[in-house]
Amino acid sequence: MHSRQQEIAAALNVCAPFSGPEAIQTEIDRRVAFIQRCLRESGMKTLVLGISGGVDSTTAGLLAQRAVEGMRAAGEGDYRFIAVRLPYQVQHDEHEAQLAVDTIKPDECHTVNIGTAVLGLAAATEALEPLSPEQRDFVLGNTKARMRMVAQYTIANARQGLVIGTDHAAEAVMGFFTKFGDGACDLTPLAGLVKDQVRQLAGALGAPEQLVHKVPTADLEELSPGKPDEAAHGVTYRHIDDFLQGKPVPEEAARIIVQTYDKTAHKRQLPKEP
């Protein structure tokens, strides 16, 4: 075991491996109850979540819809879940995003195309002009993530809502989210899960295999459309999951994970104060 595995797993509150179907169902129930508790404590009536077509947002969406349906069935009030499609112009895997929405069956589905907003901001930003095409593409990838969160909070503000994030332990350890973009939210019902556990929950919730085992991608860069997360990480999710759950991993994989965790520490912290 790497000397820092236990420390990092504890910091990210990593969930123990599931022992079987009953344990998975117990975890689903626990996380649904967490979402319901967040709504009650906040006084809000709506949940808002961007649906990309990946397993993370599909799983979070299924949990959210189950949460509000349970509250309505208990006579607690007209709680609702709004799924939001947030394409940048035309999304290349739109059919999978629509499959995710059809699987979740949200109370409402809104679409906000962020293309015009991102391009308008880019045109007005002089700091982008001297950048190489690759640098510009990377910066605007983060702008897309932040614009998507602006859209979600606009809907949430209009509808007395909380915004759900999809971050989990396997992304958190790698800092694989945009600061104040997809990293900005009110609750993270997938927190502490490793990637394979997200897939296990998705399968138990009825997500189609096509989405459960879809190659994960943030899909933010136009010059590398559909770039797999693992290509960005330099290490596989299997090794990340194993590292977080205290299992042996190749020395080079452990080195990359620890180095990336330390380098991205600022993303997991609140703003610094004097």
Side-chain angles (χ1 to χ4, degrees):
M1 180 183 291
H2 189 278
S3 62
R4 298 193 57 199
Q5 277 180 275
Q6 189 172 1
E7 167 214 331
I8 293 172
L12 298 177
N13 197 26
V14 174
C15 186
F18 300 137
S19 58
E22 288 186 8
I24 295 172
Q25 186 57 54
T26 297
E27 195 63 31
I28 288 172
D29 294 343
R30 186 174 78 87
R31 290 172 188 267
V32 167
F34 162 76
I35 295 171
Q36 293 171 333
R37 186 168 66 253
C38 288
L39 277 171
R40 293 189 193 102
E41 292 176 353
S42 69
M44 299 296 184
K45 293 292 184 180
T46 308
L47 296 169
V48 177
L49 170 64
I51 303 298
S52 66
V55 69
D56 298 340
S57 64
T58 299
T59 304
L62 287 164
L63 291 171
Q65 186 62 36
R66 181 171 292 198
V68 296
E69 287 178 0
M71 296 175 83
R72 291 199 300 262
E76 295 189 51
D78 187 23
Y79 291 94
R80 299 182 69 75
F81 170 55
I82 301 174
V84 189
R85 287 289 304 112
L86 296 156
Y88 173 76
Q89 299 180 318
V90 177
Q91 184 169 318
H92 75 91
D93 58 351
E94 181 64 33
H95 63 290
E96 289 177 320
Q98 289 301 321
L99 176 59
V101 171
D102 292 343
T103 298
I104 295 165
K105 297 180 176 61
D107 295 314
E108 300 177 34
C109 185
H110 300 193
T111 298
V112 179
N113 196 308
I114 64 167
T116 300
V118 172
L119 292 173
L121 180 60
T125 306
E126 293 181 8
L128 292 173
E129 293 176 6
L131 299 184
S132 69
E134 292 76 17
Q135 291 172 320
R136 187 178 189 277
D137 191 37
F138 180 80
V139 170
L140 287 182
N142 284 321
T143 300
K144 293 172 192 175
R146 293 186 176 111
M147 197 63 72
R148 288 185 170 116
M149 194 51 71
V150 168
Q152 290 175 78
Y153 268 103
T154 300
I155 294 169
N157 288 168
R159 295 291 296 276
Q160 290 186 287
L162 298 176
V163 175
I164 293 176
T166 60
D167 190 43
H168 50 74
E171 286 187 344
V173 71
M174 304 301 287
F176 199 66
F177 54 88
T178 297
K179 198 172 185 177
F180 304 119
D182 52 322
C185 59
D186 297 303
L187 62 155
T188 53
L190 304 183
L193 297 172
V194 299
K195 190 70 176 183
D196 190 58
Q197 288 176 315
V198 175
R199 293 192 180 104
Q200 288 178 282
L201 261 62
L205 287 162
E209 288 292 304
Q210 180 180 349
L211 299 184
V212 173
H213 297 291
K214 181 181 178 181
V215 175
T217 173
D219 197 27
L220 294 177
E221 300 172 50
E222 288 184 71
L223 298 181
S224 303
K227 181 179 179 179
D229 292 355
E230 293 179 339
H233 295 329
V235 65
T236 67
Y237 272 117
R238 169 48 55 202
H239 286 157
I240 294 171
D241 286 2
D242 285 348
F243 178 91
L244 291 173
Q245 294 189 326
K247 300 175 184 177
V249 296
E251 183 177 341
E252 177 63 8
R255 185 192 66 79
I256 291 171
I257 293 167
V258 172
Q259 185 178 65
T260 305
Y261 176 77
D262 289 341
K263 182 180 178 181
T264 59
H266 67 98
K267 288 187 168 188
R268 294 180 295 273
Q269 297 170 352
L270 292 173
K272 296 186 181 299
E273 300 177 353

